[in-house]
Amino acid sequence: MSSTMRCFWVEKSESGEIRAEVTEKPCSVLDQAKSDAPRVRIRVNLSSLNYKDALAATGHPGIVRHFPHIPGIDAVGAVVHSDSSDFSVGEEVLVTGNDLGVGHFGAWAEMIDVPAEWVLPLPKTLSPLEAMTLGTAGFTAAQCVQALIAHEITPDRGSIVVTGATGGVASVSIEILRKLGYSITAVTGKQEHHQALLDRGVDQVVTRSDFIDQTKRPLLGGKYAGGVDTVGGSMLETVLRSTAYRGCVTACGLTGGADLNITVHPFILRGITLCGIDSAMCPLPKRKVIWEKLAGEWKLAGLESLATQVPLEQTPAWVQRILAGGVSGRVVVGL
Ligand code: NDP
C-alpha cells in the first residue's frame, strides 16, 4: 500500500489567504485524527461534490474549523484497516455526513480514517457510482420526502413545489417524488433546463424570478400541498406563503440566503409545518433506515444519468461552478 495519497489540500496562510490544490500528502497526516474510538481506514474509490464541499474547498469559516483541511463529505471505498469487528478488510463501505470533510479530513483524498460508527456497509443493491450519485444530496432528498409523508402529504393532496430544481438535493427529490406518484412543480433559475425538467417527469416548471413573490402579503394563494426547499431566503418565504392548508415544507438549504422574513400567518391560519432537515448529524438508526429506503423501496432506475463524473484534478473548476449556481444534477468525484 502506498504511503502517500492524492488529495485536495486546503491551507490558510498567516495573513489569512486560502490556498487550495490537488497534491500528494503522506497518509500519516490522517493519524492526527486518532482517538480511542475504534477506527476504520478506507481506500476511497468515489466521492461527490456537494454545495458544502465547495464552501469547504474555499475555506469558508462556516464550514472549515481547522486548517489544513481536506473537503469531501461523501465516500465510497474499500476497508484497508479496521479496529472494529463490524468491518473486514476489502469490504465495500459508505460514509456520508457526520463530521467528514468538515471538522475531520474528508473524502477528496485517496484515503480516509474515520470512527467506525460513521461507516455503513455499502448496500448490496447499490453500485459505488449509484451510492455517490445519491451521496449526502440523495440522503437529504430522501429525508425531505420522508418528512412530507410523515406529515400526511400524500400524492392526492396536490402538487409539491421543489426549488433549486436542477441542484443535487432537488434533482434526487424530484426523482423520488415522481417514483412515489406525486405531481411536481419545479422552480429553477436555469431557463435552458426547463425542457430537461419536463422530460424528467416534472408537471410544471416555473422560472425563479417569476416564482419569488415581491409583495409583502402574508399569505398567497395556497397552490401547493407541500414543498422541498433547497434555496432558503425569499424562495422559502414564497413557498411557505404559497402552501395550502395543513401543508408541509422542508427546509435544508441556503443557496439563496439564510434569512427568513415572514409572518406567523402560514403557521397559525393554515397550519403549515416547516420541517428542518439536517443530514450531517442524523442519528445512526435513522441514517440506516434512510439508506435502506434509497437502496430498496425508493431505488431509482437510471440514477447514474443524474451524475457527471470528474477526476479529483478537475474539482477546482467544479467548485467555482457550483458556487455560481451553475451545476445541474450530481457531480461524482473519482479518486
Ligand atoms: P446545488 O448547488 O447542487 O443546488 C442548489 C441549487 O440552488 C442550484 O442548482 C440552483 O438551482 C439554486 N441556486 C443556486 N444559487 C441560487 C441563488 N443565489 N438563488 C436562488 N437559487 C439558487 O447544491 P446541493 O443540492 O448540494 O445543496 C442545496 C442546498 O442544501 C445547499 O444550501 C446545501 O448546503 C444544503 N444542504 C443541506 C443539507 C442539510 O443537511 N441540511 C444537506 C445537503 C445540502 P436552479 O438553478 O435550478 O434554480
Side-chain angles (χ1 to χ4, degrees), residues 41 56 79 146 151 172 180 189 208 232 252 256 297 323:
R41 188 162 285 205
V79 173
Q146 203 187 41
H151 287 89
V172 183
L180 300 183
R208 186 194 297 166
C252 71
E297 204 184 331
L323 289 176

Side-chain angles (χ1 to χ4, degrees), residues 50-51 136 140 164-169 187-190 208 230-231 252-256 277-280 322 325 327:
N50 298 273
Y51 190 77
T136 292
T140 306
T166 66
V169 176
V187 182
T188 181
K190 299 186 185 81
R208 186 194 297 166
T230 70
V231 170
C252 71
L254 41 54
T255 53
I277 302 293
D278 165 69
S279 291
I322 199 168
V327 168

Side-chain angles (χ1 to χ4, degrees), residues 121-143:
L122 178 66
K124 296 265 177 287
T125 54
L126 289 180
S127 69
L129 178 57
E130 286 174 323
M132 286 298 94
T133 303
L134 292 165
T136 292
F139 182 82
T140 306
Q143 283 208 84

Side-chain angles (χ1 to χ4, degrees), residues 163-214:
T163 65
T166 66
V169 176
S171 296
V172 183
S173 301
I174 286 171
E175 296 295 319
I176 300 173
L177 287 167
R178 206 167 54 87
K179 184 179 174 79
L180 300 183
Y182 287 89
S183 120
I184 301 161
T185 300
V187 182
T188 181
K190 299 186 185 81
Q191 197 77 35
E192 69 282 11
H193 281 255
H194 281 211
Q195 191 55 49
L197 285 162
L198 293 168
D199 292 345
R200 284 204 170 272
V202 157
D203 299 271
Q204 194 192 0
V205 185
V206 184
T207 300
R208 186 194 297 166
S209 53
D210 293 342
F211 180 83
I212 295 175
D213 181 80
Q214 305 291 355

Side-chain angles (χ1 to χ4, degrees), residues 15-76:
S15 62
E17 188 196 344
I18 302 294
R19 189 183 139 87
E21 61 174 350
V22 176
T23 184
E24 195 93 12
K25 288 285 168 188
C27 292
S28 57
V29 296
L30 301 174
D31 296 339
Q32 294 162 4
K34 287 276 185 206
S35 64
D36 291 340
R39 301 189 69 84
V40 180
R41 188 162 285 205
I42 299 162
R43 169 60 173 94
V44 179
N45 169 9
L46 296 173
S47 182
S48 81
L49 167 65
N50 298 273
Y51 190 77
K52 194 174 188 179
D53 295 318
L55 295 178
T58 50
H60 192 289
I63 305 290
V64 184
R65 294 201 283 277
H66 314 285
F67 291 93
H69 182 65
I70 301 175
I73 64 174
D74 296 331
V76 107

